[in-house]
Amino acid sequence: MNRVNRTRVITTVLLLGLMIWFVNGMDTEDNGISYSEFRTAVAEGRVDTVTITGQNVEGTFAGDEDPPDSFTTTLPPEGYVGQDGIEPFLRDNDVTITARPEDSGGILALLLTFAFPLALFIGFFWFMSRQARGQAGGLMQIGKSTAKLHKPHEPNTRFADVAGYREVKEEVQEVVAFLREPDRFRKAGAEVPKGMLLVGPPGTGKTLLARATAGEAGVPFISVTGSDFMEMFVGVGASRVRDLFKTARANAPCIIFIDELDSIGRKRGAGLGGGHDEREQTLNQLLGEIDGFQGSEGVVIMAATNRPDVLDPALQRPGRFDRQIVVPLPTLEERDEILRVHTKGKPLADDVDLRTFARGTPGMAGADLKNLVNEAALIAVRGGSDLIRARDLEQARERQTIGRERSSLRLDEDEKRAVAYHEGGHALAAFLEAEADPVYKVTVLPVGMALGVTTQLPIDERHIYLRTYLDAKLRVMLGGRAAELVVLGQPTTGGQHDLTQATQLARAIVREFGMSDALGPVGFGEHRQVFLGEELTRGHEYSEKTAEVIDGEVRRILAEALADVVACFTELRGGLDAMADLLVERESLTGQEALDAVSGALTAEQRARLRGRATVTEMPKSVEDAVRETSDKGAA
């Protein structure tokens, strides 16, 4: 309820209350007498006339006054008019008696008695209907579709606004061509796909691609989310589906875009004891509507989801959603293009190399990159700079990946040295492995949930991983625990997250990648059931004996990797101590500084074992300055 309607309701209630108070206060003159006084006055002959209405008595006193004095009183239940009531008593005392039926109070009293409760009921029903209607435009419009219709000139997004994804654009080009020139396809007897399902992680630009498709085709764009079909009333979802397709046919050629399709397209009957009836009826109606129109009508359905595994099989079969287009996370080249789109028109410093920055953002979607650039701009403004520097982008990347630096948390010298050895162990393990990702920066400053961080940047985009690379990654993960065992003689709690990640990787090596000799080339995969009913009815994919073999192999791989790293660190203890001492002094080091510290404390023969590298790209000067500032603060 908006402010105007709320004010009207409150005003109406106040006016009705004032009317009731006014009516009840009209007869406020105090001329009432008690029943005992009334009988006494009748017995003394001072009462001239009375008018009896039920138990109420109005009368006048005898006398010469003009007009005569009047009075009112109330008869007790046993004093009603009749032979057994007060009538004989009044006649015996020569009182003129007038009787009339009880008055209901007139029209005003009738309105106050019935109209006021009725108005309250109607007001309550109106309020509830406004709360229940959602976006439907009223209770009578509850079954209407809530889809938003964009006119042909409104979707001003084009493929040029979508960076990367060349293959995805090529897949939807046929739809654009059909909507532009449908007659050419009809003459050739070709049918355009009815539906196209965009599948990919969140933030990869599925909705943006759909809008760009409508913008390129120059046709109306009808957008709706899957949750818009669900309502508190039964049957509303199916009604909205029917109205949606009715609107699409009226605006053909057009594109229907259903975002978050999995909210209504989940597998039917997969829950324990059955499914959600309202959602399943909505899905049934959607399936029927898709089958009910032909591709020649010029209506193309595009839908997006990041959970294709939960969709009902009937929804994905040919004839409904003919094509399933994967919109993956962007590659290195695509991330570079996306960053250029989001930094267009923003003041960038000369030391910003977007290619290098894209290298350090693997696994980030387009939405993450957009947010990262905006965060860098905010950091630059807070730092008093009119330009977005490389250090601002680097700080924004670290904040988004590992968290914000916690300057309020200060470690004592013993804790700082323990963290320095732990992080130095990660860095030294990376320097020992030729296939490990280069070390970019090492810091013992608390960041996010970690007390220190060792940052690595990949050399290039990887699509498959060799077993040697996975083994190198395991050793780097366990480098912190190995350094603690070598220097402190016992582990600390600081390696909890490292152990969790290392265990997950080792389990994937054994169970999913089939890289264990004990288990052989068998991959069981990682199948996580979405619905309770499916999980209860599905058996294990391997026996308990196989599970024991898997657990044993995971422990063996982790133990051997840790033992190898401990042996190497024992031999290279001087380099580990030198790097840890420098970390305690400066608190933050670049990858090259960490490598130089280790190399300077080793012999030539020992230095030959350092096959890893620091960062493959030169660190921008502004980032080096930021590290130096941190080091100066630590030294102070």
Side-chain angles (χ1 to χ4, degrees):
M1 183 182 296
N2 57 34
R3 184 176 181 181
V4 175
N5 291 333
R6 189 185 302 112
T7 303
R8 291 175 179 173
V9 171
I10 295 175
T11 303
T12 303
V13 173
L14 290 176
L15 288 176
L16 290 174
L18 289 174
M19 289 175 61
I20 295 174
W21 175 80
F22 179 76
V23 171
N24 291 335
M26 289 179 64
D27 299 328
T28 57
E29 184 179 356
D30 189 13
N31 56 356
I33 61 175
S34 66
Y35 179 67
S36 299
E37 293 175 339
F38 169 66
R39 290 189 64 94
T40 302
V42 171
E44 294 176 352
R46 293 188 290 109
V47 177
D48 187 15
T49 62
V50 295
T51 301
I52 302 176
T53 306
Q55 287 184 256
N56 298 321
V57 177
E58 297 179 2
T60 57
F61 290 109
D64 297 334
E65 291 83 358
D66 189 18
D69 294 338
S70 61
F71 67 88
T72 60
T73 189
T74 303
L75 300 176
E78 63 275 7
Y80 279 143
V81 176
Q83 296 299 324
D84 298 327
I86 198 174
E87 182 179 352
F89 175 69
L90 295 175
R91 284 200 307 266
D92 292 344
N93 290 279
D94 298 327
V95 177
T96 303
I97 302 174
T98 303
R100 65 185 181 192
E102 291 189 60
D103 190 1
S104 59
I107 297 178
L108 182 60
L110 183 64
L111 289 176
L112 293 176
T113 304
F114 296 101
F116 183 63
L118 181 62
L120 287 179
F121 176 77
I122 293 176
F124 176 76
F125 183 76
W126 172 78
F127 175 76
M128 291 301 295
S129 67
R130 285 182 59 87
Q131 296 296 315
R133 72 185 183 182
Q135 300 174 352
L139 187 62
M140 301 305 295
Q141 302 291 324
I142 194 69
K144 297 294 183 181
S145 172
T146 60
K148 186 176 181 180
L149 175 62
H150 302 270
K151 296 300 182 181
H153 63 279
E154 290 180 352
N156 52 10
T157 307
R158 300 293 185 267
F159 284 150
D161 301 321
V162 183
Y165 297 114
R166 180 174 55 85
E167 294 83 1
V168 177
K169 295 176 185 176
E170 291 176 354
E171 288 236 39
V172 299
Q173 282 290 353
E174 290 182 5
V175 174
V176 174
F178 169 78
L179 293 174
R180 282 181 175 176
E181 302 174 294
D183 294 335
R184 186 162 61 90
F185 284 81
R186 294 192 186 104
K187 289 179 181 179
E191 294 184 2
V192 75
K194 276 187 181 181
M196 306 181 73
L197 182 61
L198 303 177
V199 177
T204 51
K206 298 182 291 295
T207 305
L208 183 63
L209 280 167
R211 291 179 62 87
T213 304
E216 289 285 340
V219 297
F221 181 72
I222 304 175
S223 63
V224 65
T225 61
S227 60
D228 287 339
F229 294 107
M230 306 305 296
E231 193 57 78
M232 64 181 294
F233 299 110
V234 177
V236 169
S239 176
R240 289 183 176 178
V241 170
R242 289 191 294 268
D243 190 68
L244 171 65
F245 281 84
K246 180 180 177 182
T247 303
R249 289 186 178 94
N251 291 274
C254 68
I255 293 178
I256 298 176
F257 178 66
I258 305 176
D259 200 5
E260 304 298 340
L261 182 64
D262 52 278
S263 61
I264 60 169
R266 290 174 177 259
K267 296 177 182 178
R268 290 168 290 184
L272 185 62
H276 190 288
D277 289 338
E278 174 64 11
R279 184 175 62 239
E280 291 185 4
Q281 293 302 320
T282 304
L283 175 58
N284 292 337
Q285 186 64 45
L286 178 62
L287 297 175
E289 289 292 337
I290 296 176
D291 285 338
F293 73 91
Q294 301 298 322
S296 59
E297 295 184 17
V299 178
V300 176
I301 305 174
M302 298 184 71
T305 180
N306 49 41
R307 299 294 306 277
D309 54 313
V310 305
L311 294 180
D312 193 274
L315 191 62
Q316 304 180 68
R317 71 161 176 83
R320 286 174 178 152
F321 284 99
D322 300 305
R323 290 186 182 178
Q324 181 169 312
I325 303 175
V326 178
V327 187
L329 291 171
T331 61
L332 174 60
E333 297 290 340
E334 291 170 341
R335 292 198 300 273
D336 188 11
E337 294 179 20
I338 293 172
L339 285 171
R340 296 184 188 281
V341 169
H342 292 313
T343 56
K344 185 178 180 180
K346 291 181 171 60
L348 296 180
D350 295 335
D351 64 341
V352 174
D353 183 4
L354 294 179
R355 178 74 177 187
T356 302
F357 189 64
R359 190 188 301 277
T361 55
M364 286 193 180
D368 299 324
L369 296 174
K370 179 181 179 181
N371 182 62
L372 192 146
V373 172
N374 183 67
E375 185 68 28
L378 295 176
I379 293 173
V381 173
R382 286 197 294 267
S385 174
D386 296 331
L387 301 175
I388 300 177
R389 302 158 294 181
R391 63 182 294 175
D392 302 322
L393 288 168
E394 177 66 19
Q395 186 175 348
R397 185 184 67 82
E398 290 184 352
R399 179 175 297 185
Q400 189 161 330
T401 54
I402 57 179
R404 183 176 181 177
E405 180 181 325
R406 293 184 292 169
S407 57
S408 60
L409 179 60
R410 289 295 176 184
L411 304 177
D412 59 31
E413 289 302 318
D414 292 337
E415 289 180 331
K416 183 185 294 186
R417 182 164 294 276
V419 174
Y421 275 110
H422 182 96
E423 299 303 328
H426 288 306
L428 181 55
F431 294 147
L432 289 171
E433 300 294 333
E435 295 194 44
D437 292 330
V439 178
Y440 186 72
K441 189 173 71 172
V442 186
T443 179
V444 293
L445 293 174
V447 178
M449 300 297 294
L451 298 179
V453 176
T454 300
T455 305
Q456 295 174 267
L457 290 185
I459 299 174
D460 50 19
E461 199 79 16
R462 293 180 182 267
H463 302 94
I464 60 173
Y465 301 97
L466 298 176
R467 174 63 190 271
T468 52
Y469 173 81
L470 298 178
D471 288 338
K473 193 174 183 67
L474 270 178
R475 290 188 175 91
V476 174
M477 290 178 179
L478 296 173
R481 172 59 62 92
E484 293 170 354
L485 294 177
V486 170
V487 178
L488 305 178
Q490 58 183 337
T492 69
T493 59
Q496 176 185 359
H497 183 63
D498 299 330
L499 291 179
T500 301
Q501 286 187 319
T503 304
Q504 291 175 351
L505 179 56
R507 190 171 296 276
I509 291 174
V510 175
R511 190 175 63 182
E512 299 175 30
F513 304 148
M515 295 180 176
S516 170
D517 295 334
L519 202 62
V522 180
F524 295 104
E526 183 68 20
H527 297 286
R528 297 181 179 178
Q529 301 302 328
V530 180
F531 306 110
L532 180 61
E534 288 188 356
E535 186 176 4
L536 293 178
T537 57
R538 186 186 182 98
H540 293 291
E541 295 182 345
Y542 45 83
S543 64
E544 295 296 332
K545 184 177 180 180
T546 303
E548 293 179 1
V549 175
I550 293 175
D551 292 339
E553 280 296 288
V554 170
R555 284 193 295 270
R556 181 188 66 80
I557 291 174
L558 293 174
E560 290 181 358
L562 181 60
D564 290 343
V565 179
V566 169
C568 292
F569 283 4
T570 303
E571 297 178 10
L572 306 177
R573 173 69 184 271
L576 182 61
D577 290 338
M579 181 168 44
D581 292 340
L582 193 60
L583 268 175
V584 172
E585 178 184 351
R586 295 189 179 180
E587 292 189 342
S588 292
L589 300 175
T590 65
Q592 189 60 47
E593 288 175 339
L595 180 58
D596 293 341
V598 173
S599 300
L602 300 179
T603 64
E605 182 180 355
Q606 290 174 331
R607 283 197 296 271
R609 301 180 59 180
L610 302 178
R611 298 173 296 170
R613 290 173 290 176
T615 178
V616 295
T617 57
E618 184 178 355
M619 180 175 286
K621 187 176 185 307
S622 64
V623 178
E624 287 188 357
D625 293 341
V627 176
R628 298 289 185 277
E629 291 173 8
T630 305
S631 301
D632 294 341
K633 292 179 182 178

